[in-house]
Amino acid sequence: MQQDEESNDNGLVSTRAADVVVALILIGLGALVVTDSLRLGIGWGEYGPKSGYFPFYTGLAIILASLGTIGVTLLRRGKAHGYFVSRGQVVHVLKVFVPSAVYVLLIGFIGIYVASAIFIAGFMRWIGRFRWLTIIVVSLAVPFCLFLMFEIWFKVPLPKGPLENLLGY
């Protein structure tokens, strides 16, 4: 049923537009690689190729392939061959992206462990519709296990917030 709703949904971005945008982004990345390779040197040195030799040709290949993609996409006759993403699909992506972005921002203020507990609890309730007891157990157990693993066993400090500072960690 959900598939039928999405297929009837108006498209937001055409496949043709998505192809061109991704190719332009790749051209930019290829140009960055080529530019930095020129700085490093792309010639042949006393002991073989200089540091920028292989990255230069890799960046050049990325640029040429992306230009080819743009050419084929724009010269293709007929319709745009459908939509890359529909409005309904964007909503599904945003349901994950927005909370994930908030989670990353919260890490700087309240630490990774408290932010992870909130993030896990929020997803379990909102998306999974789990019972509160399950949510409480999992959202506290996972960050606690991560704390043990990283802070205690591996001795790798992760960003902490006021709670961890209050507890002396």
Side-chain angles (χ1 to χ4, degrees):
M1 185 66 167
Q2 188 176 0
Q3 290 287 358
D4 293 337
E5 290 174 9
E6 287 180 3
S7 64
N8 292 333
D9 196 5
N10 291 335
L12 192 61
V13 177
S14 72
T15 302
R16 180 173 286 176
D19 287 347
V20 170
V21 167
V22 170
L24 289 171
I25 291 169
L26 288 173
I27 287 172
L29 290 173
L32 181 67
V33 170
V34 165
T35 302
D36 199 47
S37 296
L38 290 171
R39 182 185 62 83
L40 294 173
I42 61 169
W44 204 259
E46 183 180 342
Y47 299 106
K50 291 185 178 177
S51 299
Y53 182 83
F54 291 111
F56 174 80
Y57 289 106
T58 302
L60 194 60
I62 290 171
I63 292 170
L64 293 174
S66 299
L67 287 171
T69 298
I70 290 173
V72 168
T73 300
L74 295 179
L75 295 176
R76 188 180 325 148
R77 296 188 187 267
K79 294 187 176 184
H81 299 290
Y83 290 104
F84 176 72
V85 65
S86 69
R87 284 176 173 50
Q89 291 168 330
V90 168
V91 169
H92 290 307
V93 169
L94 290 176
K95 278 183 171 180
V96 175
F97 177 75
V98 171
S100 298
V102 170
Y103 165 67
V104 170
L105 290 174
L106 282 178
I107 289 173
F109 296 103
I110 62 175
I112 195 165
Y113 301 110
V114 175
S116 295
I118 293 168
F119 182 70
I120 292 167
F123 260 95
M124 287 182 73
R125 185 65 188 163
W126 185 37
I127 304 293
R129 306 276 188 230
F130 286 92
R131 295 178 305 141
W132 281 108
L133 179 61
T134 306
I135 293 169
I136 291 168
V137 169
V138 172
S139 65
L140 293 177
V142 169
F144 180 72
C145 289
L146 291 173
F147 175 81
L148 288 176
M149 185 170 59
F150 285 104
E151 304 283 339
I152 307 299
W153 298 331
F154 294 150
K155 305 278 189 221
V156 175
L158 296 178
K160 293 174 198 58
L163 178 64
E164 293 88 355
N165 292 334
L166 184 68
L167 296 173
Y169 288 100

